[in-house]
């Protein structure tokens, strides 16, 4: 046992894979990451594959996954994924009283693990609640982050222009609708609109989730409730959050 180079030693490893199954990625996370975090990845990444995976492990293995900059080193996996399904709040982590969150389906982009963090970058995705969209809904500007898998807080940001009716139906029957008190649950609409959505989801305390959104109307026809007039050529912005 060399005191200058204590076990398990120093590793400098890098490589590239031409085929990978996204549902197995949790198996490659360091055991130093708590089992609960590795199980979260197992339960949330439900489908997907990659033909471009890059990885690197560099440094003193005692400090894996090198989340403390003081120790140096690098743990890195980056996979360009296609046709992935990411259920960022798996059912086993939700209270029985909470509706499901919309799931990212047919997700393409980069899935990155670096240090103790996880990121989804430059993603395009379908966005679907339990009722599914009434028209295919694809969002092109998606980012998701977990800064520290030891204490996972999922940050999701989405922005795109899509059919307004599909945007509203996607959140019907979901936790977003619950947290916003069903503000748009009965709304009917036609035309395109721009959605900006931000979610902050502390996995260990999912009941403290936060939602912020903006819906930019672009000369739409909209009826907010069955007993209100139809608004035609509507322009303006609807702001909503978990508080109002």
């Amino acid at each position: 046992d060399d005191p200058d180079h204590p076990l398990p030693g120093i590793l400098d490893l890098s490589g590239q894979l031409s085929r990978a199954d996204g549902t197995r990625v949790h198996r490659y996370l360091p055991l130093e990451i708590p089992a609960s975090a590795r199980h979260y990845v197992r339960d949330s990444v439900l489908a997907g594959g990659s033909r471009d995976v890059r990885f690197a492990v560099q440094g003193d293995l005692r400090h894996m996954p090198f989340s403390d900059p003081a120790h140096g080193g690098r743990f890195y996996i980056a996979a360009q994924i296609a046709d992935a399904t990411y259920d960022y709040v798996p059912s086993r982590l939700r209270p029985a009283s909470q509706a499901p969150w919309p799931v990212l389906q047919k997700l393409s982009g980069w899935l990155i693990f670096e240090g103790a963090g996880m990121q989804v970058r430059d993603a395009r995705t379908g966005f679907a609640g339990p009722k599914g969209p009434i028209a295919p809904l694809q969002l092109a500007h998606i980012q998701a982050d977990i800064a520290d898998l030891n204490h996972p807080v999922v940050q999701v940001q989405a922005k795109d222009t899509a059919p307004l009716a599909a945007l509203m139906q996607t959140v019907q029957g979901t936790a977003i609708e619950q947290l916003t008190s069903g503000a748009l649950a009965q709304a009917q609409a036609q035309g395109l609109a721009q959605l900006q959505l931000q979610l902050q989801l502390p996995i260990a305390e999912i009941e403290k989730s936060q939602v912020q959104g903006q819906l930019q109307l672009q000369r739409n026809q909209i009826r907010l409730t069955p007993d209100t007039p139809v608004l035609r050529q509507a322009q303006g912005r609807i702001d909503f959050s978990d508080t109002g």
Side-chain angles (χ1 to χ4, degrees), residues 10-17 53-59 61 74-78:
I10 297 173
L11 179 65
D12 188 346
L13 172 69
S14 62
Q16 190 166 350
L17 303 176
V53 181
R54 307 165 192 181
F55 61 89
V57 180
Q58 299 166 333
L61 295 178
R74 188 186 193 200
F75 169 74
Y76 177 80
I77 301 174

Side-chain angles (χ1 to χ4, degrees), residues 26 38-46 87 90-93:
H26 67 95
R38 287 182 277 114
H39 292 167
Y40 168 78
V41 176
R42 177 197 65 192
D43 296 339
S44 61
V45 181
L46 302 180
D87 184 4
S91 58
R92 69 175 181 84
L93 299 178

Side-chain angles (χ1 to χ4, degrees), residues 21-42:
D21 182 347
T23 63
R24 304 295 182 92
V25 69
H26 67 95
R27 298 186 177 188
Y28 300 97
L29 299 180
L31 294 178
E32 287 78 6
I33 292 177
S36 59
R38 287 182 277 114
H39 292 167
Y40 168 78
V41 176
R42 177 197 65 192

Side-chain angles (χ1 to χ4, degrees), residues 58-60 63 65-74:
Q58 299 166 333
D60 188 332
H63 305 306
F66 310 114
S67 53
D68 185 348
H71 293 141
R74 188 186 193 200

